[in-house]
């Protein structure tokens, strides 16, 4: 299980120190890791290196991923961060196509596909976010939206695989109406997504499905099903170390 904390535009140095202090106890993290459970933290760009160093010095086996990156390789793109730069910072993967990037920064399905190609060729594990709005759900167009968001990316993944790049890809189903609202999709809806990916793009495509949207220690147990959900992408709740521990305890038991 991959448990990812998307910190979005939150967490300064002092808050990161407090977060890591509250998660102290390297033995339990090793035990969870040995059971196949990993915690990955996604801070803002300026803290990637710092957070990696802090985790190492505390013997906390957490992965570090970025929240975004530029599709271009390098050059005159003021304000952007390249895949190679992320790699240089010891980052293992990157969230791509989050609905907030689509909504506030005009990121298109095509741009997400370009970024995924770049991530794969640089050896970064892409976590590709997709999901429908409330209106799209109510108008019955979910399957069409999922295919539109996943299809162009899956095509690039297959092409990369044909070229010998075997980096895995995770898909984070994050219905827009569930993000930060306290409402979650039900297990039935997540099963529907999994079955849609399988039918539209093949078994392999559905093998790394994560769920995100108002996950916390109360909602998480009802959203977990072996073989369907391979992890969670958590925003608000994982800004707090106590909540991280409560979710881990609830899902995986205290080692
Ligand atoms: P919340 O957990 O705050 O709903 O955010 C989900 C999310 O957007 C994670 O990427």
């Amino acid at each position: 299980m991959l448990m990812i904390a998307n910190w979005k535009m939150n967490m300064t140095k002092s808050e990161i120190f407090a977060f890591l202090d509250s998660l102290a106890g390297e033995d339990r993290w090793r035990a969870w890791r040995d059971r196949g459970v990993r915690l990955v933290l996604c801070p803002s760009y300026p803290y990637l290196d710092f957070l990696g160093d802090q985790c190492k010095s505390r013997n906390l086996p957490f992965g570090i991923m970025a929240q975004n990156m530029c599709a271009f390789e390098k050059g005159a793109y003021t304000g952007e961060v390249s895949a190679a730069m992320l790699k240089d910072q010891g980052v293992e993967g990157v969230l791509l196509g989050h609905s907030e990037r689509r909504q506030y920064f005009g990121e298109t399905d095509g741009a997400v596909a370009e970024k995924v190609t770049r991530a794969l060729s640089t050896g970064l594990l892409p976590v590709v976010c997709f999901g429908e709005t409330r209106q799209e759900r109510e108008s019955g167009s979910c399957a069409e939206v999922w295919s539109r968001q996943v299809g162009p990316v899956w095509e690039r993944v297959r092409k990369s695989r044909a070229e010998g790049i075997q980096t895995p890809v995770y898909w984070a189903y994050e219905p827009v109406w569930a993000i930060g609202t306290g409402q979650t999709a039900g297990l039935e809806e997540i099963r529907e997504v999994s079955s849609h990916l399988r039918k539209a793009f093949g078994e392999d495509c559905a093998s790394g499905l994560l769920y995100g949207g108002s996950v916390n220690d109360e909602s998480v147990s009802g959203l977990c099903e072996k073989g369907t959900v391979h992890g969670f992408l958590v925003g608000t709740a994982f800004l707090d170390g106590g909540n991280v521990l409560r979710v881990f305890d609830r899902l995986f038991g205290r080692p």
Side-chain angles (χ1 to χ4, degrees):
M1 290 285 267
L2 189 58
M3 307 295 290
I4 307 181
N6 176 8
W7 283 349
K8 309 191 180 184
M9 201 170 71
N10 295 294
M11 302 294 257
T12 54
K13 254 184 203 176
S14 60
E15 290 163 326
I16 291 176
F17 280 131
F19 177 91
L20 293 177
D21 287 346
S22 70
L23 294 186
E26 52 198 79
D27 290 349
R28 64 181 158 199
W29 293 107
R30 287 242 175 66
W32 275 322
R33 191 190 54 187
D34 293 346
R35 291 182 201 170
V37 184
R38 296 194 61 224
L39 177 64
V40 171
L41 306 173
C42 304
S44 296
Y45 289 138
Y47 302 104
L48 289 166
D49 208 11
F50 163 76
L51 182 59
D53 287 348
Q54 284 298 316
C55 291
K56 260 188 223 124
S57 69
R58 293 160 190 250
N59 285 321
L60 293 169
F62 304 154
I64 310 287
M65 289 195 196
Q67 298 174 18
N68 184 30
M69 56 163 240
C70 183
F72 298 121
E73 186 181 4
K74 62 194 269 193
Y77 304 103
T78 303
E80 291 296 311
V81 172
S82 73
M85 289 168 182
L86 295 182
K87 201 69 186 149
D88 223 17
Q89 297 266 303
V91 163
E92 68 180 83
V94 57
L95 307 182
L96 293 172
H98 191 282
S99 68
E100 286 148 17
R101 299 230 39 98
R102 296 174 190 264
Q103 186 183 347
Y104 303 123
F105 303 98
E107 212 161 276
T108 60
D109 299 327
V112 177
E114 293 289 332
K115 290 183 179 194
V116 170
T117 307
R118 178 71 60 197
L120 288 172
S121 67
T122 314
L124 289 171
L125 186 153
V127 177
V128 186
C129 307
F130 69 102
E132 78 286 353
T133 61
R134 159 85 51 214
Q135 200 185 2
E136 287 162 341
R137 173 156 288 274
E138 282 168 2
S139 67
S141 53
C142 285
E144 197 185 303
V145 172
W146 302 336
S147 282
R148 194 191 68 220
Q149 294 180 338
V150 171
V153 176
W154 184 240
E155 227 171 86
R156 301 300 186 96
V157 173
R158 289 184 42 190
K159 197 158 166 254
S160 299
R161 292 204 174 146
E163 288 162 5
I165 297 171
Q166 298 306 325
T167 311
V169 177
Y170 280 90
W171 304 97
Y173 171 55
E174 296 208 304
V176 179
W177 51 269
I179 295 177
T181 60
Q183 283 182 290
T184 61
L187 197 45
E188 202 42 59
E189 281 140 0
I190 304 175
R191 283 191 195 122
E192 215 182 294
V193 174
S194 171
S195 126
H196 178 78
L197 294 185
R198 202 167 283 126
K199 273 193 223 131
F201 306 110
E203 189 66 37
D204 195 21
C205 183
S207 68
L209 183 64
L210 313 178
Y211 170 78
S214 297
V215 173
N216 56 38
D217 59 317
E218 279 168 19
S219 62
V220 77
S221 330
L223 298 168
C224 207
E225 182 173 70
K226 212 167 174 229
T228 308
V229 181
H230 302 89
F232 293 94
L233 181 51
V234 188
T236 317
F238 276 12
L239 291 172
D240 177 85
N243 282 332
V244 174
L245 286 175
R246 275 188 284 281
V247 166
F248 270 69
D249 283 348
R250 186 146 303 192
L251 281 186
F252 315 117
R254 179 65 63 111

